[in-house]
Amino acid sequence: MTLDRIAPALFVLLWSSGWVAAKYGGIYSDPLTFLVVRYITAALLFAAVCWVAGVRWPKGRSAIVHAMISGAFLHGFYLGTVWWAIAHGVPAALSGIIAALQPLMTALAAPYFIGERLSPLQKSGICLGFAGVAIAVVPKLLGTGQSEIPVFPVIMNVIGMVSVTYGTIYQKQHLQTGDLRAIATLQYVGAAAVTLPFALALEPFRVELSFGFIALLLWSVVGISMGAILLLLYLLRRGQVSRAAALIYLVPPLASVQAAIIFGEELTLPMILGTLVVIAGVYLANRKQRQAAPAE
């Protein structure tokens, strides 16, 4: 079995665990503080990997700047706003719906930024994926009570979704070459650089050093920040950016399954049906064409 075949499924499995990490993170640290520690740790580990493997670093100031800017949007602004929003009362279901808007925004923006064109079948898959996410999480959202949902954190969550959309396109535009390990190292430096000022300004920089914190940090860094992100960068380089983004549709349903197993949350029939619809949508959005779709 080749990496091309297993990379999408493995990426979604690892990335979806980030929702569980976000829920646990508030126990041991403030959200932005935890992310700063996570980014710095990831950058140091990636740098060590690059040193041991003798990786070639990007040549020229522009390549380094591009990597740091992409990291600022893909990780810093995105995770910073999402984790902060969840910590300030945004329900996980609503956050999942907002995250599921990313493929739609990416599909709409990609033709203007990088000239990608989607076939009618791929467009149908993206719309079907959004419908599946809605089926899976809207009933849970309606059960929380709309009056209790804070407006400003929701706006921040939307800003995070826009940020990761732009970061995905920026990655495709400017980082088509170079060693992915070196690029990832610089991306986490960029993420830490934009997150640290907000953490110092908004939080007391609280960290509860314990076995739970260390275990969560290790999984967040090794499993998500290193494993999932390397897979994402690999997917972005190998295929269309909008097709790679469509994999995000699978995250909310899988996160619901993980929450049911770990936290004992109820796994409802709409979640199961929504997951099946999402899988069908992702299949259509990622289906390879025999010939390129004509430009509009």
Side-chain angles (χ1 to χ4, degrees):
M1 184 176 293
T2 64
L3 181 59
D4 283 346
R5 290 182 177 273
I6 66 172
L10 188 57
F11 162 73
V12 172
L13 182 63
L14 292 174
W15 192 253
S16 63
S17 69
W19 298 89
V20 176
K23 189 168 184 177
Y24 268 124
I27 300 175
Y28 307 106
S29 175
D30 295 307
L32 298 181
T33 300
F34 183 89
L35 288 175
V36 170
V37 177
R38 170 178 166 178
Y39 296 150
I40 293 175
T41 305
L44 291 175
L45 287 179
F46 263 121
V49 170
C50 292
W51 180 72
V52 172
V55 169
R56 291 185 178 181
W57 292 90
K59 294 182 179 180
R61 180 178 299 178
S62 63
I64 295 175
V65 171
H66 284 320
M68 293 181 66
I69 291 176
S70 67
F73 284 97
L74 278 174
H75 310 306
F77 292 125
Y78 171 54
L79 289 182
T81 52
V82 170
W83 279 52
W84 184 90
I86 292 176
H88 287 78
V90 175
L94 178 57
S95 184
I97 291 177
I98 295 172
L101 295 175
Q102 182 205 342
L104 289 178
M105 287 200 63
T106 303
L108 292 173
Y112 301 99
F113 284 93
I114 55 180
E116 282 192 1
R117 293 294 185 268
L118 297 177
S119 69
L121 186 64
Q122 289 174 312
K123 292 178 182 177
S124 299
I126 290 175
C127 293
L128 188 62
F130 181 76
V133 171
I135 292 172
V137 300
V138 164
K140 182 178 178 182
L141 173 62
L142 294 178
T144 63
Q146 293 283 1
S147 61
E148 299 178 2
I149 298 174
V151 176
F152 184 69
V154 168
I155 294 174
M156 295 303 296
N157 211 145
V158 172
I159 292 175
M161 181 272 298
V162 175
S163 174
V164 73
T165 299
Y166 178 74
T168 301
I169 294 174
Y170 191 93
Q171 170 86 23
K172 189 71 174 181
Q173 282 181 308
H174 301 288
L175 296 171
Q176 282 290 80
T177 59
D179 193 285
L180 293 178
R181 294 163 293 184
I183 291 173
T185 304
L186 295 171
Q187 284 181 327
Y188 283 116
V189 172
V194 298
T195 307
L196 180 59
F198 288 100
L200 292 174
L202 301 175
E203 299 174 351
F205 226 72
R206 174 185 66 89
V207 175
E208 179 184 320
L209 291 177
S210 63
F211 174 80
F213 173 82
I214 295 174
L216 180 62
L217 180 64
L218 286 176
W219 174 251
S220 297
V221 171
V222 178
I224 304 174
S225 292
M226 298 186 74
I229 291 303
L230 280 177
L231 287 170
L232 177 60
L233 296 180
Y234 176 82
L235 289 169
L236 289 175
R237 183 168 292 182
R238 296 284 292 181
Q240 288 182 328
V241 59
S242 48
R243 287 167 60 188
L247 293 170
I248 302 299
Y249 274 142
L250 290 172
V251 171
L254 284 181
S256 298
V257 172
Q258 292 175 7
I261 296 174
I262 297 174
F263 301 115
E265 295 184 1
E266 182 182 7
L267 185 60
T268 63
L269 179 60
M271 291 181 185
I272 297 173
L273 293 177
T275 299
L276 296 177
V277 174
V278 165
I279 292 173
V282 171
Y283 170 76
L284 293 177
N286 284 275
R287 190 174 181 181
K288 293 183 178 180
Q289 302 170 256
R290 293 184 179 180
Q291 60 182 11
E296 298 177 0

